[in-house]
Amino acid sequence: MDDTAAALKAIPLNRRPADWTRGLAWLLSMQNKDGGFAAFEKNVDHPLIRRLPIESADEAAVDPSTADLTGRALHALGLKAGYTENHSAVRRALHWLYRRQEKNGSWYGRWGVCYIYGTWAALTGMKAVGVSGEHPSVKKALSWLKSIQLPDGSWGESCKSCEIKTFAPLAYGTAVQTAWALEALLQYEDPREPLIQKGFRFLIDDGLHQPKHLVYPTGIGLPKQFYIYYHSYPFVFPLLALSAFIKQMEMREKR
C-alpha cells in the first residue's frame, strides 16, 4: 500500500491516466473494514492470530491498520486524487485516525521510530484532505510535537518506544526525526514560529553534519528484534522538510 500511494504521487496523471486510475482503484480496494490501511494485506488482524505460540506473533503474524500507512494513503488521496473529508473512504480513514490517537496527542507508527513518525504521517495526511487546524485532534498533535522538542531545536526518539508502546525520548535529536516533526508542524503552523526556525537551524548547522544525528536507526523491522538504518533517510526527509518550509515562506510573501 505504501509504495502504491507513493507511486500515485509520483506518476503524472495526464501522462498515464489509465494506469494511474488502476492504481488508485487498487489502493481504495485495500482499505480495511475498520477504515484504516495496512502495509501488505487487507483485514489480517484477527485477535486469535496474535495468540499463536510464535515469538512476536502479535507483531509479525498480523498486518493491522496503522497510522503511518493510513496517513500516507490519505496524503495520496488528497494531494493527487483531490479527495476531501466528503469522500467516504477518506471519512472512514479519518475516523480510524481519530479513534487511534494517543491521549497525549500522538499516533503510534508501526514502520518507523515511532510516535514522531506516526504523528508526522497522520498530520500530513489530514492536511492533504482538508482537515482544519482547529480540529481537536490536530491541536493535540501539534501541542505534543512542540512539547518534546529538545533544547537545541531537534527531535529524537528511541527505538525503545515500540517495545514499551509509549514515547521514549533520545538524549539527542536525529536529522530524520527532526525533519518529520518539522514537516508535520508546517502543515498548520507559521514557518516563522521560533521553534520551527530553531529546528531548521539545527538541521542546517548540526543535524546533517554530525554522525550521531545521522546513523541512529529510524526504521522498524520487528520490535524488540531488529531495527533499520536507511542510508537515504537523513537526506531525503530533511530535503522534504526544507522544501515544505520554502513553499510556506513563498506563499506568505505572495499574500
Side-chain angles (χ1 to χ4, degrees), residues 107 118-128 138 141-142 145 184 187-188:
W107 280 273
T119 304
W120 160 74
L123 284 175
T124 52
M126 291 163 68
K127 177 66 173 181
V138 172
L142 295 175
L145 282 173
Q187 303 305 303
Y188 293 98

Side-chain angles (χ1 to χ4, degrees), residues 99-122:
R99 292 193 304 270
R100 290 306 183 101
Q101 189 174 24
E102 303 287 331
K103 290 182 179 179
N104 63 11
S106 67
W107 280 273
Y108 175 75
R110 167 62 180 88
W111 300 101
V113 182
C114 191
Y115 288 92
I116 295 174
Y117 175 71
T119 304
W120 160 74

Side-chain angles (χ1 to χ4, degrees), residues 86-156:
N86 296 323
H87 191 280
S88 60
V90 169
R91 189 163 55 248
R92 292 174 58 224
L94 287 173
H95 286 163
W96 184 89
L97 280 176
Y98 299 151
R99 292 193 304 270
R100 290 306 183 101
Q101 189 174 24
E102 303 287 331
K103 290 182 179 179
N104 63 11
S106 67
W107 280 273
Y108 175 75
R110 167 62 180 88
W111 300 101
V113 182
C114 191
Y115 288 92
I116 295 174
Y117 175 71
T119 304
W120 160 74
L123 284 175
T124 52
M126 291 163 68
K127 177 66 173 181
V129 296
V131 177
S132 167
E134 296 302 311
H135 194 284
S137 287
V138 172
K139 287 185 173 182
K140 284 179 64 178
L142 295 175
S143 294
W144 178 77
L145 282 173
K146 293 176 183 179
S147 74
I148 62 167
Q149 186 178 27
L150 295 172
D152 64 359
S154 67
W155 280 263

Side-chain angles (χ1 to χ4, degrees), residues 61 94 168 172 183 205 208:
L94 287 173
Y172 59 89
E183 189 177 9
D205 290 348
L208 297 176

Side-chain angles (χ1 to χ4, degrees), residues 2-255:
D2 207 9
D3 292 347
T4 299
L8 288 172
K9 289 186 283 187
I11 296 171
L13 175 57
N14 59 353
R15 293 284 298 275
R16 307 282 298 204
D19 295 325
W20 192 91
T21 302
R22 284 177 58 222
L24 175 64
W26 184 85
L27 182 65
L28 290 171
S29 76
M30 295 299 289
Q31 187 171 23
N32 284 332
K33 61 185 179 182
D34 63 9
F37 288 83
F40 307 107
E41 300 182 73
K42 181 178 180 179
N43 298 327
V44 182
D45 191 25
H46 196 284
L48 289 179
I49 301 177
R50 295 176 179 269
R51 296 184 176 275
L52 290 173
I54 302 171
E55 186 177 5
S56 299
D58 59 332
E59 297 279 359
V62 292
D63 188 22
S65 297
T66 66
D68 38 331
L69 272 297
T70 303
R72 284 205 290 276
L74 283 172
H75 195 254
L77 295 176
L79 195 67
K80 289 300 292 284
Y83 290 177
T84 68
E85 297 172 273
N86 296 323
H87 191 280
S88 60
V90 169
R91 189 163 55 248
R92 292 174 58 224
L94 287 173
H95 286 163
W96 184 89
L97 280 176
Y98 299 151
R99 292 193 304 270
R100 290 306 183 101
Q101 189 174 24
E102 303 287 331
K103 290 182 179 179
N104 63 11
S106 67
W107 280 273
Y108 175 75
R110 167 62 180 88
W111 300 101
V113 182
C114 191
Y115 288 92
I116 295 174
Y117 175 71
T119 304
W120 160 74
L123 284 175
T124 52
M126 291 163 68
K127 177 66 173 181
V129 296
V131 177
S132 167
E134 296 302 311
H135 194 284
S137 287
V138 172
K139 287 185 173 182
K140 284 179 64 178
L142 295 175
S143 294
W144 178 77
L145 282 173
K146 293 176 183 179
S147 74
I148 62 167
Q149 186 178 27
L150 295 172
D152 64 359
S154 67
W155 280 263
E157 182 175 359
S158 169
C159 294
K160 192 75 175 177
S161 285
C162 67
E163 299 179 15
I164 63 176
K165 294 299 186 288
T166 188
F167 176 71
L170 276 179
Y172 59 89
T174 71
V176 176
Q177 291 163 333
T178 299
W180 286 336
L182 287 169
E183 189 177 9
L185 288 168
L186 283 171
Q187 303 305 303
Y188 293 98
E189 297 287 348
D190 190 325
R192 297 168 298 183
E193 187 170 335
L195 69 86
I196 291 178
Q197 297 274 334
K198 192 174 184 179
F200 279 107
R201 183 53 56 195
F202 165 83
L203 278 183
I204 294 168
D205 290 348
D206 201 19
L208 297 176
H209 304 286
Q210 299 296 324
K212 73 174 183 178
H213 302 312
L214 299 175
V215 300
Y216 189 83
T218 51
I220 299 174
L222 192 61
K224 300 181 182 180
Q225 298 194 31
F226 73 97
Y227 304 93
I228 304 169
Y229 166 68
Y230 294 102
H231 290 74
S232 63
Y233 273 25
F235 306 102
V236 171
F237 286 109
L239 282 172
L240 288 171
L242 285 162
S243 175
F245 175 79
I246 291 169
K247 287 179 181 177
Q248 289 286 348
M249 292 297 290
E250 288 175 343
M251 288 173 58
R252 290 188 173 276
E253 289 175 0
K254 291 177 181 178
R255 291 175 183 172

